[in-house]
Amino acid sequence: MGYINNTAQWDKKRADRNGKLYGTIDFDINEKLSQTIFEKVELKPVVGTLEIGQKRFDMTYQEMDLLTETIAEAKKVIQMRYKMGMMR
């Protein structure tokens, strides 16, 4: 399966318009991960690599869940601050 976003194929104008890191965010799935290891290993295995900018982060499934929750909460707080007029 490989990369999720295939950011190398994106239009540079689209990526630049949405922020300097927008076109660099991708996730490379660990193709070597077997179902047995995923299900039964007590220490959770790396399921893939998150790429942002020039940095790479090996991630477990549980770390992906936490990252998703963290970003969703951050977006809620930003929206709330905007609606309450708390942005400078």
Side-chain angles (χ1 to χ4, degrees):
M1 191 156 173
Y3 289 92
I4 300 299
N5 290 333
N6 293 316
T7 54
Q9 299 173 9
W10 286 7
D11 177 30
K12 184 163 174 30
K13 286 182 184 178
R14 172 187 172 198
D16 290 346
R17 174 176 70 228
N18 290 301
K20 68 179 183 177
L21 294 176
Y22 188 86
T24 69
I25 298 170
D26 213 338
F27 191 84
D28 186 14
I29 295 174
N30 180 359
E31 299 286 344
K32 297 175 184 172
L33 183 63
S34 70
Q35 184 171 349
T36 306
I37 292 173
F38 184 74
E39 291 173 346
K40 299 184 180 177
V41 173
E42 198 168 307
L43 294 173
K44 298 302 178 189
V46 171
V47 296
T49 304
L50 176 66
E51 298 181 0
I52 300 177
Q54 300 297 318
K55 298 186 181 190
R56 297 172 55 90
F57 305 92
D58 289 339
M59 299 192 71
T60 66
Y61 195 81
Q62 290 71 18
E63 290 168 330
M64 290 173 61
D65 281 343
L66 181 58
L67 182 61
T68 302
E69 291 169 16
T70 302
I71 290 173
E73 285 302 312
K75 288 177 71 175
K76 285 180 189 176
V77 170
I78 291 166
Q79 278 288 6
M80 189 182 324
R81 288 176 54 98
Y82 171 73
K83 288 178 181 180
M84 295 175 73
M86 296 176 67
M87 294 184 153
R88 295 179 183 195

